[in-house]
Short mmCIF file of all heavy atoms in Angstrom, two decimals:
data_model
loop_
_atom_site.label_atom_id
_atom_site.label_comp_id
_atom_site.label_asym_id
_atom_site.label_seq_id
_atom_site.Cartn_x
_atom_site.Cartn_y
_atom_site.Cartn_z
N VAL A 67 0.41 -80.02 21.91
CA VAL A 67 0.51 -81.42 22.22
C VAL A 67 1.23 -81.50 23.59
O VAL A 67 2.27 -81.02 23.92
CB VAL A 67 1.27 -82.25 21.22
CG1 VAL A 67 1.42 -83.69 21.51
CG2 VAL A 67 0.53 -82.01 19.89
N LYS A 68 0.70 -82.39 24.47
CA LYS A 68 1.30 -82.97 25.68
C LYS A 68 1.89 -84.21 25.36
O LYS A 68 1.32 -85.10 24.85
CB LYS A 68 0.23 -82.92 26.86
CG LYS A 68 -0.49 -81.59 27.11
CD LYS A 68 0.39 -80.68 27.86
CE LYS A 68 -0.30 -79.55 28.37
NZ LYS A 68 0.40 -78.44 28.71
N ALA A 69 3.18 -84.36 26.00
CA ALA A 69 4.04 -85.62 25.72
C ALA A 69 3.71 -86.61 27.00
O ALA A 69 3.49 -86.01 28.08
CB ALA A 69 5.38 -85.36 25.66
N ALA A 70 3.76 -87.83 26.76
CA ALA A 70 3.71 -88.89 27.73
C ALA A 70 4.63 -89.92 27.46
O ALA A 70 4.89 -90.32 26.29
CB ALA A 70 2.27 -89.30 27.91
N GLY A 71 5.28 -90.32 28.46
CA GLY A 71 6.20 -91.47 28.33
C GLY A 71 6.28 -92.37 29.56
O GLY A 71 5.57 -91.98 30.61
N ALA A 72 7.04 -93.36 29.71
CA ALA A 72 7.31 -94.20 30.78
C ALA A 72 7.75 -93.22 31.94
O ALA A 72 8.74 -92.63 31.85
CB ALA A 72 8.36 -95.17 30.48
N GLY A 73 6.76 -93.26 32.98
CA GLY A 73 7.27 -92.32 34.15
C GLY A 73 6.83 -91.05 34.15
O GLY A 73 6.99 -90.23 35.17
N ALA A 74 6.30 -90.41 33.03
CA ALA A 74 5.90 -89.01 33.04
C ALA A 74 4.69 -88.94 32.06
O ALA A 74 4.53 -89.50 31.10
CB ALA A 74 7.14 -88.24 32.51
N THR A 75 3.89 -87.83 32.41
CA THR A 75 2.65 -87.61 31.68
C THR A 75 2.48 -86.07 31.52
O THR A 75 2.99 -85.39 32.39
CB THR A 75 1.38 -88.25 32.18
OG1 THR A 75 1.07 -87.87 33.45
CG2 THR A 75 1.46 -89.72 32.06
N ASP A 76 1.57 -85.64 30.61
CA ASP A 76 1.29 -84.19 30.48
C ASP A 76 2.47 -83.28 30.51
O ASP A 76 2.39 -82.20 31.05
CB ASP A 76 0.35 -83.66 31.62
CG ASP A 76 -1.09 -84.23 31.40
OD1 ASP A 76 -1.48 -84.65 30.33
OD2 ASP A 76 -1.82 -84.51 32.46
N MET A 77 3.56 -83.64 29.77
CA MET A 77 4.78 -82.83 29.70
C MET A 77 4.58 -81.84 28.65
O MET A 77 3.98 -82.16 27.46
CB MET A 77 5.90 -83.76 29.30
CG MET A 77 6.29 -84.60 30.47
SD MET A 77 7.78 -85.62 30.03
CE MET A 77 6.99 -86.84 28.84
N VAL A 78 4.93 -80.63 28.86
CA VAL A 78 4.78 -79.45 27.98
C VAL A 78 5.82 -79.76 26.83
O VAL A 78 6.89 -80.18 27.07
CB VAL A 78 5.10 -78.06 28.67
CG1 VAL A 78 5.17 -77.02 27.59
CG2 VAL A 78 4.10 -77.91 29.64
N THR A 79 5.35 -79.48 25.65
CA THR A 79 6.35 -79.74 24.45
C THR A 79 6.40 -78.51 23.52
O THR A 79 5.58 -77.51 23.57
CB THR A 79 5.84 -80.68 23.66
OG1 THR A 79 4.55 -80.44 22.97
CG2 THR A 79 5.61 -82.07 24.31
#
Side-chain angles (χ1 to χ4, degrees):
V67 176
K68 298 285 185 191
T75 58
D76 286 334
M77 294 179 285
V78 175
T79 66

